Amino acid sequence: MVEKMSQAKLLKTVKKIIPPLTGALHKGQAGRIAVVGGSEDYTGAPYFASISALKLGADLSHVFCERNAGLVIKTYSPELMVHPYLRNTDSLGKPNDRQREIDAHVDRVVSMLPRLHVLVVGPGLSRDEVMMEMTKKIIIKAKENKMPLVIDADGLYLIQSEPELIKGYPLAVLTPNVNEFSRLCEAMNVRCDKEHIETAAEKLSQALGNVTILQKGENDTISNGKEVLTCSAEGSPRRCGGQGDLLSGACATFLAWGKNYEAKAWDHSKNDDLDDDFETRLPLLAAWAASLLARNCSKAAFAKHGRAMTTSDMIEQVGGVFQSIFEPDQKQAVL
């Protein structure tokens, strides 16, 4: 368990990387996020992840989804940029053209990577063989571009099957729930039974080459194999689908802010006293901050809606919760 003073220091550090609300910034500097996911049967998850990133304060949010999911996701919100470039097994052409068609569509996604800061991989992806193959190629290219990755849902199924995809990649954050965590531990020969559960996230991170693990549970445990953080902020007893997607989108936004802070996308000369190891700890900090935000959004939404609470109600709380916890002091406008 992290002590209260440590929690306060973590919060202080996260606040420093939040972009200021100033006319000096231009569109995109506060984060350009993309979600790789969304299939014919699962269109809500990529929407929740991408809209949560926007609501938190990212400037632009993209969704790379399967062709049949594109129009559906577009109808959810005009704020999202939806690119139906992914394909599944049923939507490919002739068998002898399969690989060429897959590569062509992957290239469409890859061509946009230089315009993005962070990828969220997995919400609504499905386990279709072709979708998995395309996602694998996208992850490889994203790593070549040194992009932070947040991997959730069916993206974790891919990692479970092929852990070498992200093993040793320090910019990856994995956000497994109880069942996903158990399967990842099994794949990496890490014990996570009751006797070993308190150290399992740390051991799993080490087994995966120190990627950051956000183990979701009654308390969220975050580890990069060297350090362990715990977020035990009060949430709610409601377990509606989509809450993890909000968490993933929020984590991506905090990662983008940290990445742009490092790149000096805005003047922070008066606020430039971060620890020397900030760059290596950024995924850990982003995961902790996202956990804190998601738990408080759940608490606020449940207080208002009770058992009727859904993830959409949580998303409505993002702005207010963020302001109450993270918002740096802003000068009042002069009228």
Side-chain angles (χ1 to χ4, degrees), residues 7-296:
Q7 295 273 350
K9 184 177 179 180
L10 287 169
L11 186 57
K12 183 178 179 181
T13 301
V14 171
K15 285 182 176 181
K16 290 180 181 180
I17 69 171
I18 297 172
L21 293 176
T22 169
L25 293 184
H26 60 74
K27 182 173 65 178
Q29 286 183 291
R32 299 187 293 271
I33 312 301
V35 175
V36 178
S39 57
E40 185 174 11
D41 292 333
Y42 305 107
T43 58
Y47 164 74
F48 287 141
S50 53
I51 201 66
S52 296
L54 278 184
K55 291 287 188 178
L56 181 55
D59 285 342
L60 299 168
S61 196
H62 299 255
V63 179
F64 297 109
C65 62
E66 196 270 328
R67 181 175 61 185
N68 293 323
L71 185 59
V72 178
I73 299 173
K74 286 175 184 286
T75 66
Y76 293 156
S77 172
E79 284 90 1
L80 304 180
M81 287 162 283
V82 183
H83 314 280
Y85 297 166
L86 303 184
R87 294 293 181 268
N88 61 20
T89 303
D90 295 335
S91 63
L92 287 178
K94 298 178 180 179
N96 58 331
D97 292 331
R98 168 177 157 161
Q99 196 59 55
R100 183 170 58 186
E101 188 174 351
I102 288 173
D103 290 342
H105 288 295
V106 168
D107 287 344
R108 297 181 74 183
V109 177
V110 169
S111 68
M112 295 186 64
L113 295 185
R115 297 160 51 186
L116 304 170
H117 294 126
V118 183
L119 285 187
V120 180
V121 179
L125 187 64
S126 85
R127 298 181 182 180
D128 178 83
E129 179 183 352
V130 171
M131 293 280 278
M132 286 287 160
E133 182 178 350
M134 295 183 74
T135 302
K136 176 181 176 180
K137 291 175 179 290
I138 292 167
I139 289 175
I140 291 171
K141 291 295 184 180
K143 287 168 56 182
E144 291 176 4
N145 282 268
K146 297 182 179 180
M147 293 183 67
L149 300 169
V150 181
I151 303 179
D152 189 29
D154 289 323
L156 294 173
Y157 177 80
L158 178 59
I159 300 305
Q160 167 196 328
S161 304
E162 300 187 50
E164 294 298 326
L165 266 178
I166 52 89
K167 191 172 184 179
Y169 187 61
L171 298 179
V173 179
L174 277 57
T175 62
N177 61 24
V178 173
N179 292 327
E180 292 160 344
F181 183 78
S182 178
R183 290 194 293 265
L184 284 169
C185 286
E186 182 178 357
M188 300 307 297
N189 296 313
V190 172
R191 296 189 65 177
C192 62
D193 51 56
K194 182 177 289 188
E195 184 179 349
H196 298 85
I197 192 62
E198 290 187 2
T199 61
E202 183 180 13
K203 297 297 184 184
L204 179 60
S205 174
Q206 292 169 354
L208 287 168
N210 297 102
V211 303
T212 295
I213 303 293
L214 197 173
Q215 177 191 3
K216 295 180 285 193
E218 184 176 356
N219 296 315
D220 292 344
T221 302
I222 305 105
S223 180
N224 59 5
K226 302 173 184 177
E227 185 176 356
V228 179
L229 305 179
T230 300
C231 184
S232 54
E234 184 181 356
S236 81
R238 185 77 167 97
R239 293 293 179 267
C240 53
Q243 297 185 62
D245 302 309
L246 185 158
L247 176 70
S248 295
C251 186
T253 301
F254 283 114
L255 280 168
W257 287 346
K259 182 177 180 180
N260 288 353
Y261 184 97
E262 292 176 302
K264 297 188 182 299
W266 58 86
D267 180 18
H268 49 69
S269 56
K270 296 180 181 179
N271 190 29
D272 201 12
D273 57 346
L274 294 177
D275 295 337
D276 293 337
D277 61 349
F278 168 74
E279 183 176 359
T280 58
R281 296 183 75 230
L282 174 58
L284 189 80
L285 293 168
W288 177 83
S291 173
L292 183 63
L293 179 93
R295 284 174 168 270
N296 277 276

Side-chain angles (χ1 to χ4, degrees), residues 34 232 315 329:
S232 54
I315 291 171
D329 294 336

